[in-house]
DNA sequence: ATACAAACTGATTGCGCTAACATTTCCTTG
DNA sequence: CAAGGAAATGTTAGCGCAATCAGTTTGTAT
């Protein structure tokens, strides 16, 4: 009579149908309803149908918060990226979600900006949701972040970077190698006086360092470096391009993103500078618009979709395992220099 | 002796520190720890500090899954957009999260593609997480979706569109009005023979319908319509632009996104067609790169940031209210035709 | 019929936390 | 210094679900 299966009894109840309500309507035990919904293969055809009808009749919407607490499985994956306003990261988000959604995982998105402090704060709140897996952009974490990741015992994929000691799994590419390769490539094509425009984030800086290392290794070439704020944009590129061209005589400008490069291209065109004869321009990322600008932008192709895909697959595989065990595997997806018409 | 505050007792426990562990170390009741962490103003300075130390000592990470179940507040907001691969939606995501994160809300991201079926599926799983609020792109939902939204009793903001009967709150603009305004604007500038390139989604189609309505209202102008798949990209624009220019004599091409317009621009430039004298080009969205292309792209400015900002603010306001009550308010943020150098 | 396994269903318990109410401690103020 | 109230802390009882194990039914071989 005073049992809990009657509506509106407890002042704390939310008022919507629960598993017990469905069970009562279907004339079975709550546990059977749970099974009918989550592991239908364990239930007979007839009960499955009765439960199905009862769900429709009651308008039951499962409460996965309670489910997660009871089973210690949240079916939630945290995805931490610096921003989605950059098409490369948007591509990663898109791909990761495309792989995870069909497997029944939902995504908790976190934007870390480009600072370790924000990463730290966001990771803390993210961990409190007890996600089943984490995809985290970058490998350079604060000590506290790293310690939290280690003690969390959650499958983790770090992406977008290479590291000698990944926390768990890793899918990325080497930013230094990109810079070095671009330097060697442009030197080989005869360019010598370089302008560098980089966003002021750590990975952009590592590409710059790689580029400078490449010049030094070859013993050739000079450079002028300019940093711009995040997020990168065409106006930033155009403005910095103008500043570099005003004050220096340059053969080529290398940018830390395609969007900056398009800004430089616009500036060159407005000055009537022939590209690439008077000025070569190099982007980074191979965004969708890079291949179709006029002239088509030379750039470094990063396969964000491949990174997202592999990260998600690694995660799925690990989340399917009953026991937690770090993998410690790294995967370098590399990059490709795309020589179009601006170099 | 057999109490539950001893580690490793229950086989169902997760093994990490709980509130009771912190309480034991701090020498206070569990409830006091809860208060010290969530409502510190209710706790004396000295206990707050003792709890703080105990948290550090035990390495306690709150379990918000349990917290949400107990309090019926998930501090989760579901954000449903068609894609993040489009800069306008990425901007909305970025802004919404920027507003909500400082208020302690986390975002559950859902990608609905451009189909009502996916929206339906995703909404179902999203509702099972009991979010405190929902931001949903678009106003044309399936009957089931609408019914679920109505019975969910969750604050909801529909964005990116206008509607006569919003489910709850609404922040958007009229796609028909955009189409009509663009038609009138271009007719006024003397263009008559139009090519239209639109993505095959419902909102793009409504802008096309508005454009055609504008031509018919004025009794002037002819048009050729082409639809492209989603997601839009420069190659799509360039290809469709080439097809239109090959088969028709046109004054202007109107695109359903800036990225398509840049593709058309590239095609025009590669053909040596003077823009805008021989061919005018109009984009949509005013993405970051639109203003800095050469020549600078004319487009329709949609303030994604404003939409995201207001949607988030409305939601916060509603989530702060103790009782659930539909608002039924709409807000039209409008749009602006930006006349740059391609018209 | 009987034994035995396999398939299915049910009862109990607890996941980790907070709402609600009860109690204690501290501080005014006449 | 007693009375009264505010501030601080504690106790109890779930939130809604699934793990676990116990029980029941069904099918199959003897």
């Amino acid at each position: 009579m005073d049992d809990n299966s009657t509506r509106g009894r407890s002042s704390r109840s939310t008022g919507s149908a629960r598993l017990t309500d469905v069970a009562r309507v279907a004339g079975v035990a709550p546990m059977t309803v749970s099974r009918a919904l989550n592991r239908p293969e364990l239930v007979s055809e007839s009960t499955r149908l009765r439960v199905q009808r009862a769900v429709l009749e009651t308008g039951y919407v499962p409460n996965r918060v309670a489910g997660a607490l009871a089973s210690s499985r949240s079916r939630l994956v945290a995805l931490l990226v610096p921003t989605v306003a950059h098409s490369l990261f948007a591509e990663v988000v898109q791909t990761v979600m495309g792989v995870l959604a069909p497997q029944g995982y939902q995504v908790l998105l976190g934007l870390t900006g480009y600072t370790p402090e924000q990463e730290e704060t966001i990771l803390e709140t993210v961990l409190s949701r007890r996600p089943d897996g984490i995809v985290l952009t970058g490998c350079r974490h604060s000590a506290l972040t790293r310690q939290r990741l280690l003690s969390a015992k959650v499958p983790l994929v770090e992406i977008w970077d290479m590291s000698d000691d990944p926390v768990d799994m890793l899918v990325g590419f080497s930013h230094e190698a990109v810079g070095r390769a671009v330097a060697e490539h442009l030197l080989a094509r005869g360019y010598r006086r370089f302008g560098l425009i980089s966003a002021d984030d750590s990975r952009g800086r590592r590409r710059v360092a790689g580029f400078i290392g490449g010049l030094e290794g070859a013993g050739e070439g000079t450079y002028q470096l300019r940093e711009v704020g995040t997020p990168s944009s065409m106006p930033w590129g155009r403005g910095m391009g103008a500043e570099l061209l005003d004050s220096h005589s340059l053969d080529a400008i290398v940018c830390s993103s395609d969007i900056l490069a398009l800004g430089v291209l616009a500036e060159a065109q407005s000055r009537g500078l022939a590209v690439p004869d008077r000025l070569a321009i190099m982007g980074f990322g191979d965004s969708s618009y890079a291949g179709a600008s006029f002239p088509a932008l030379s750039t470094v192709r990063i396969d964000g979709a491949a990174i997202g895909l592999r990260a998600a697959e690694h995660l799925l595989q690990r989340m399917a395992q009953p026991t937690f065990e770090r993998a410690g595997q790294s995967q370098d997806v590399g990059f490709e220099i795309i020589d179009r018409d601006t170099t």
Side-chain angles (χ1 to χ4, degrees), chain A:
Chain A
M1 162 152 284
D2 203 46
D3 74 337
N4 219 352
S5 60
T6 324
R7 278 275 44 95
R9 218 194 50 82
S10 164
S11 63
R12 291 176 65 178
S13 166
T14 52
S16 50
R18 297 154 306 172
L19 206 55
T20 37
D21 301 315
V22 179
R24 193 162 20 76
V25 170
V28 295
M31 195 60 231
T32 301
V33 177
S34 174
R35 274 193 281 254
L37 296 175
N38 299 321
R39 321 257 326 254
E41 74 279 8
L42 294 180
V43 152
S44 75
E45 178 75 5
S46 67
T47 35
R48 205 171 51 67
L49 288 172
R50 275 202 303 167
V51 167
Q52 225 165 54
R53 273 198 301 276
V55 166
L56 288 175
E57 185 177 330
T58 52
Y60 174 66
V61 178
N63 186 329
R64 285 184 206 277
V65 177
L69 181 61
S71 66
S72 305
R73 294 200 58 201
S74 61
R75 298 216 143 252
L76 219 52
V77 167
L79 177 50
L80 271 53
V81 294
T83 174
V84 290
H86 190 304
S87 66
L88 283 173
F89 293 119
E91 193 180 347
V92 171
V93 172
Q94 196 79 23
T95 317
V96 167
M97 293 186 70
V99 176
L100 292 179
Q103 303 297 317
Y105 288 95
Q106 285 177 267
V107 166
L108 194 64
L109 186 64
L111 303 183
T112 55
Y114 285 93
T115 72
E117 293 77 36
Q118 278 196 64
E119 180 180 281
E120 199 170 296
T121 315
I122 288 172
L123 183 71
E124 183 176 10
T125 67
V126 152
L127 286 177
S128 72
R129 301 274 176 198
R130 299 293 190 266
D132 290 342
I134 301 179
V135 177
L136 177 54
T137 305
C139 299
R140 310 290 178 100
H141 316 298
S142 72
L144 183 56
T145 297
R146 195 178 169 90
Q147 184 229 304
R148 276 184 182 142
L149 289 172
L150 282 167
S151 53
K153 298 213 194 312
V154 179
L156 167 74
V157 187
E158 294 165 280
I159 61 170
W160 210 256
D161 212 338
M162 293 307 292
S163 156
D164 292 333
D165 56 341
V167 175
D168 190 353
M169 297 173 285
L170 175 62
V171 180
F173 60 93
S174 162
H175 293 264
E176 280 91 354
V178 168
R180 225 174 308 120
V182 168
E184 286 162 8
H185 181 81
L186 293 179
L187 283 173
R189 300 197 57 134
Y191 303 106
R192 289 295 177 274
R193 296 167 301 171
F194 299 99
L196 307 177
I197 304 180
S198 168
D200 62 349
D201 81 287
S202 75
R203 287 175 286 275
R205 288 206 185 93
R206 299 232 301 287
R207 294 197 291 276
V208 166
F211 186 93
I212 295 172
L215 295 190
E216 289 169 351
E220 290 187 291
T222 62
Y223 65 91
Q224 298 294 327
L225 172 63
R226 293 290 183 282
E227 282 200 355
V228 299
T230 49
S232 294
S233 64
M234 269 185 83
W236 270 119
R238 189 160 181 177
M240 274 304 166
E243 191 189 306
L244 280 170
L245 291 170
D246 281 341
S247 52
H248 300 279
S249 177
L250 300 173
D251 301 331
I253 294 185
V254 176
C255 301
S256 81
S257 70
D258 287 342
I259 194 82
L260 290 173
L262 285 193
V264 173
L265 179 58
E267 178 63 22
Q269 287 175 331
S270 75
R271 291 176 178 225
L273 270 180
V275 174
D277 297 338
R278 286 277 291 107
L279 181 75
I281 302 174
M282 190 86 182
F284 173 80
D286 196 25
S287 310
S288 60
Y289 43 80
S293 68
F294 185 77
L297 187 68
S298 294
T299 186
V300 179
R301 172 162 170 69
I302 301 300
D303 194 344
I307 292 180
L309 185 69
R310 297 200 178 149
E313 282 172 348
H314 281 153
L315 213 51
L316 279 176
Q317 196 182 344
R318 282 286 306 283
M319 291 188 301
Q321 289 174 9
T323 60
F324 179 79
E325 196 177 335
R326 301 227 118 87
Q329 59 187 300
S330 299
Q331 184 165 20
D332 189 336
V333 298
F335 57 88
E336 186 188 353
I337 293 181
I338 309 277
D339 232 347
R340 295 205 183 91
D341 307 331
T342 61
T343 52

